[in-house]
Amino acid sequence: NAGVTQTPKFRVLKTGQSMTLLCAQDMNHEYMYWYRQDPGMGLRLIHYSVGEGTTAKGEVPDGYNVSRLKKQNFLLGLESAAPSQTSVYFCASSYGRLGDYGYTFGSGTRLTVV
Amino acid sequence: GNSVTQMEGPVTLSEEAFLTINCTYTATGYPSLFWYVQYPGEGLQLLLKATKADDKGSNKGFEATYRKETTSFHLEKGSVQVSDSAVYFCALSRGAGSYQLTFGKGTKLSVIP
């Protein structure tokens, strides 16, 4: 099905390890986003991209890096994982006119850092 | 800055009961407003939206009206079903041309038979 695909779905890391979360969309959307979801906190924006080759910081960017080398892919990296990064991570994408179309979300990656 | 405040949950209702989930917002300009729904183990899905004052968004029996005078976008459904059990998020954007959403903290709804 067309949409946003996130890999992996689950991961357990040890403190200090690194990993990359992959987000792929096949809708030719210009804009892509990484959010984290924590109990009682809602969704918080980590980083976003307004087009291929561009990235920008969101609300909670510390400890994360991103890259958008291809329009359809948006990667989220953790260089040195910490227990505070235990969360569910959601990728989303959108057309430019957000007011008309909103976001399309992936199904999430549940990350546990021990 | 922009912010969204939702009623705290969890909310537990019997099947066929009336549902209201309150949402108020703070924003400059003329934001667009959204309700998203997240079923267990899944990502968020757009439920309905409204892009200007007095607009009513509707989908799957849910409705919400964009009230600029009270800065509100309350979600309602006349008769809930067990399958409506989910977490509901209110969100706003800064309007046409914006590309960021600000989310509320979510309200968990449980519907019991």
Side-chain angles (χ1 to χ4, degrees):
Chain A
N1 292 334
V4 177
T5 302
Q6 292 183 232
T7 53
K9 294 189 183 303
F10 303 93
R11 185 73 185 268
V12 178
L13 285 180
K14 293 182 179 179
T15 298
Q17 287 185 318
S18 64
M19 78 164 294
T20 300
L21 282 67
L22 172 64
C23 176
Q25 54 96 2
D26 58 4
M27 298 170 287
N28 203 35
H29 285 174
E30 285 294 331
Y31 301 94
M32 297 187 74
Y33 316 82
W34 277 107
Y35 282 87
R36 59 178 290 172
Q37 183 181 31
D38 302 292
M41 300 291 290
L43 277 79
R44 293 181 291 170
L45 182 64
I46 305 171
H47 285 281
Y48 63 97
S49 168
V50 301
E52 181 178 316
T54 75
T55 63
K57 294 181 180 179
E59 182 184 0
V60 289
D62 294 342
Y64 305 94
N65 56 76
V66 288
S67 64
R68 183 100 180 266
L69 298 180
K70 295 182 178 181
K71 185 177 183 179
Q72 64 268 33
N73 296 337
F74 194 30
L75 278 62
L76 178 70
L78 287 72
E79 292 185 346
S80 180
S84 61
Q85 294 177 304
T86 293
S87 186
V88 181
Y89 292 86
F90 286 101
C91 177
S93 68
S94 69
Y95 288 115
R97 290 182 60 81
L98 178 62
D100 293 337
Y101 296 106
Y103 284 7
T104 300
F105 280 86
S107 58
T109 296
R110 184 174 294 276
L111 175 66
T112 302
V113 183
V114 298
Chain B
N2 296 339
S3 67
V4 175
T5 302
Q6 289 181 236
M7 62 184 289
E8 292 191 14
V11 174
T12 302
L13 295 174
S14 297
E15 207 166 17
E16 299 184 359
F18 184 86
L19 169 71
T20 300
I21 300 178
N22 291 338
C23 172
T24 58
Y25 68 89
T26 301
T28 56
Y30 302 94
S32 295
L33 301 172
F34 305 82
W35 276 101
Y36 280 83
V37 58
Q38 183 181 29
Y39 298 104
E42 299 183 10
L44 281 71
Q45 303 173 25
L46 179 63
L47 180 59
L48 54 84
K49 63 179 172 68
T51 57
K52 61 182 186 294
D54 298 327
D55 269 2
K56 177 184 285 188
S58 61
N59 186 25
K60 299 180 180 180
F62 291 89
E63 293 183 339
T65 301
Y66 187 166
R67 301 289 188 196
K68 190 168 178 63
E69 64 276 14
T70 55
T71 62
S72 65
F73 193 55
H74 304 322
L75 182 68
E76 296 182 336
K77 187 175 185 182
S79 177
V80 294
Q81 305 300 312
V82 173
S83 58
D84 294 326
S85 297
V87 181
Y88 293 83
F89 291 90
C90 185
L92 68 82
S93 77
R94 290 177 291 175
S98 172
Y99 46 82
Q100 291 189 56
L101 285 175
T102 299
F103 287 88
K105 294 183 177 181
T107 302
K108 183 176 182 179
L109 170 68
S110 297
V111 180
I112 56 177

